[in-house]
Amino acid sequence: MTIHQHFSQAVSCVKDWLQVPKQLRQQGILGMNQRNHSFISRYNDRSKYPLVDDKLKTKLIAEQAGATVPELIGVIESQVHVRKIHQMVKNWPGFVIKPAQGSGGKGILVVTSHKEGCYTKPSGAVVSRQDVERHITNTLAGLFSLGGKNDVAVVENLIEFDESFADFSYEGVPDIRVIVFHGYPVMAMMRCSTASSDGKANLHQGAVGVGLDIATGRAVRAVQFDHPITQHPDTLCPLDQLEIPDWEQLLVLAASAWEMTGLGYIGTDMVIDKSRGPMVLELNARPGLAIQTANGAGLLPRLQKIEALTQQGIRHNSPEERVECSRSYFGFPD
């Protein structure tokens, strides 16, 4: 069975897969409690969480490791500096404002163009200078941040996403989530924005999750709001045609997050820029489990496979070696 035949077949069975607990267990689905106890608590040193919970620190360690990251325009740390945003972005056609300690895509404001105090979002909606300032004020107050703590606003250059994704995402930049365990990429998906998600790659807000074959970067399944779909709801593009360019380079970058952070179980969020290629967007010490729904497969058997390797003393020291191993273990059969 080819990967495209599997994609079509998966659409008819994902709904049952989601609804039958026994089948979930048979598929090796990782639940939240088991994730927290057996993987996050066991393999992630809490002292290292600030490296990934704070996007500024993540950017720094990624750059120190030689990884490509979105260009930093500036940081707004206090209320008295909020109005400086307009001068800060004056010479930048597009930009993104995000909370340094945000989670789940909350508090991200994307501006694709601006002129004379009018800021245009990916949807075409226009917000005012005051709206932008209010958003930053809310960010500083911790409205979008982990634990509601006071935060800072990070302003980054807008990513120019690869044109090959134009029909797979609507009014926003798609990103790629890869779960990395002991430095091995074990499962991946692309999150494609929609009108429902307001141009954001957030599955809970209505973005499309497309499961990806670890070996090739090609689509194996797709879901929106946990329901199987075959085409993008806005562009109507067939999702089984999705294939990620520079896939091996992207996986190597994801695998290197282990060396960057020292975290054993981590979610790496990346994008592919048109001119700069794969780059690190964010890292997450508590990645969600929706990636299993997108792939129609459980994480547990893959994690146990890597655990068995480490217990046997088998080590692949470089990210390249670990990627090669993962592609051979977890790739979809032709």
Side-chain angles (χ1 to χ4, degrees), residues 52-97:
V52 296
D53 286 348
D54 188 312
K55 294 176 178 60
L56 283 176
K57 293 181 179 179
T58 300
K59 183 182 291 290
L60 178 61
I61 63 172
E63 288 180 326
Q64 289 175 340
T68 307
V69 296
E71 189 170 358
L72 180 67
I73 297 175
V75 180
I76 297 176
E77 299 179 328
S78 66
Q79 183 63 34
V80 296
H81 297 138
V82 168
R83 291 188 178 181
K84 292 184 177 181
I85 181 63
H86 310 294
Q87 184 65 28
M88 183 183 291
V89 301
K90 180 179 179 180
N91 297 319
W92 297 84
F95 59 90
V96 179
I97 301 174

Side-chain angles (χ1 to χ4, degrees), residues 96-131:
V96 179
I97 301 174
K98 59 176 67 172
Q101 299 181 66
S103 65
K106 297 178 182 177
I108 296 177
L109 175 63
V110 179
V111 172
T112 55
S113 65
H114 58 99
K115 184 178 181 181
E116 298 177 353
C118 295
Y119 295 85
T120 304
K121 298 168 62 176
S123 64
V126 177
V127 296
S128 68
R129 292 169 60 95
Q130 291 75 23
D131 291 329

Side-chain angles (χ1 to χ4, degrees), residues 25-278:
R25 291 192 295 271
Q26 292 173 343
Q27 290 277 350
I29 304 305
L30 180 67
M32 187 172 293
N33 289 340
Q34 188 173 17
R35 180 205 66 172
N36 294 343
H37 178 267
S38 301
F39 297 98
I40 292 178
S41 296
R42 184 176 181 183
Y43 295 110
N44 288 353
D45 184 343
R46 291 190 64 86
S47 68
K48 299 182 186 297
Y49 280 22
L51 296 176
V52 296
D53 286 348
D54 188 312
K55 294 176 178 60
L56 283 176
K57 293 181 179 179
T58 300
K59 183 182 291 290
L60 178 61
I61 63 172
E63 288 180 326
Q64 289 175 340
T68 307
V69 296
E71 189 170 358
L72 180 67
I73 297 175
V75 180
I76 297 176
E77 299 179 328
S78 66
Q79 183 63 34
V80 296
H81 297 138
V82 168
R83 291 188 178 181
K84 292 184 177 181
I85 181 63
H86 310 294
Q87 184 65 28
M88 183 183 291
V89 301
K90 180 179 179 180
N91 297 319
W92 297 84
F95 59 90
V96 179
I97 301 174
K98 59 176 67 172
Q101 299 181 66
S103 65
K106 297 178 182 177
I108 296 177
L109 175 63
V110 179
V111 172
T112 55
S113 65
H114 58 99
K115 184 178 181 181
E116 298 177 353
C118 295
Y119 295 85
T120 304
K121 298 168 62 176
S123 64
V126 177
V127 296
S128 68
R129 292 169 60 95
Q130 291 75 23
D131 291 329
V132 173
E133 292 172 12
R134 188 178 304 110
H135 182 85
I136 296 174
T137 295
N138 289 336
T139 298
L140 298 180
L143 186 63
F144 312 117
S145 306
L146 291 166
K149 300 177 181 178
N150 289 349
D151 206 345
V152 301
V154 179
V155 187
E156 292 181 338
N157 185 23
L158 189 65
I159 297 160
E160 187 178 2
F161 73 92
D162 192 290
E163 291 177 353
S164 63
F165 298 141
D167 292 332
F168 296 104
S169 199
Y170 182 76
E171 297 179 346
V173 178
D175 68 14
I176 297 121
R177 160 70 59 88
V178 182
I179 300 295
V180 176
F181 184 49
H182 286 308
Y184 294 84
V186 295
M187 190 170 283
M189 70 172 170
M190 171 168 268
R191 298 178 293 197
C192 305
S193 59
T194 65
S196 298
S197 68
D198 191 29
K200 298 175 183 177
N202 186 304
L203 298 188
H204 298 296
Q205 294 179 359
V208 171
V210 184
L212 301 171
D213 175 31
I214 284 288
T216 64
R218 296 168 64 185
V220 293
R221 289 177 174 85
V223 295
Q224 184 186 34
F225 293 122
D226 291 338
H227 294 288
I229 58 175
T230 59
Q231 60 185 25
H232 192 283
D234 303 302
T235 69
L236 305 183
C237 179
L239 293 168
D240 64 353
Q241 295 180 6
L242 177 63
E243 183 172 357
I244 310 300
D246 302 318
W247 180 241
E248 183 173 0
Q249 181 185 351
L250 185 144
L251 286 184
V252 169
L253 185 58
S256 68
W258 190 35
E259 282 85 358
M260 292 181 202
T261 65
L263 294 168
Y265 183 82
I266 190 169
T268 65
D269 294 342
M270 288 165 293
V271 292
I272 298 182
D273 186 85
K274 181 179 179 180
S275 58
R276 303 177 70 195

